[in-house]
């Protein structure tokens, strides 16, 4: 499957990108106003890594968090 970590299953998520204008009340303004909300996708940082598994080389797509955990263990 595309854009999914093969070790932990982490995949893309959908988030709201909020656009604001104005000056904050704490800074002496009248407050921040929301002028637009659009959905965006955040995808994990996947890297192709070759790992030795049971004597054979296996090529996996891992997120960087899993890569760090795999090298530490």
């Amino acid at each position: 499957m595309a854009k999914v970590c093969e070790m932990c299953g982490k995949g893309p998520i959908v988030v709201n990108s909020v656009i604001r204008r104005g000056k904050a009340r704490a800074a002496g303004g009248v407050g921040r106003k929301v002028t637009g909300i659009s959905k965006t996708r955040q995808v994990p940082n996947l890297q192709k890594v070759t790992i030795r598994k049971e004597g054979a080389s296996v090529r996996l797509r891992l997120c960087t968090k899993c890569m760090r955990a795999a090298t530490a263990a």
Side-chain angles (χ1 to χ4, degrees):
M1 198 184 310
K3 295 185 175 131
V4 174
C5 176
E6 295 177 3
M7 187 176 283
C8 67
K10 183 188 289 186
I13 60 172
V14 177
V15 296
N16 285 331
S17 175
V18 180
I19 309 301
R20 293 184 176 94
R21 63 180 297 211
K23 192 174 183 181
R25 283 189 183 174
V30 294
R32 306 267 292 168
K33 306 289 192 284
V34 174
T35 60
I37 300 174
S38 61
K39 291 189 177 221
T40 60
R41 287 179 80 213
Q42 290 181 348
V43 293
N45 186 5
L46 296 179
Q47 307 290 326
K48 289 181 182 172
V49 182
T50 304
I51 296 177
R52 306 260 318 151
K53 195 174 190 180
E54 300 171 4
S57 293
V58 180
R59 201 164 161 164
L60 299 172
R61 293 180 69 180
L62 300 180
C63 64
T64 52
K65 197 169 185 179
C66 290
M67 283 175 54
R68 221 174 294 141
T71 57

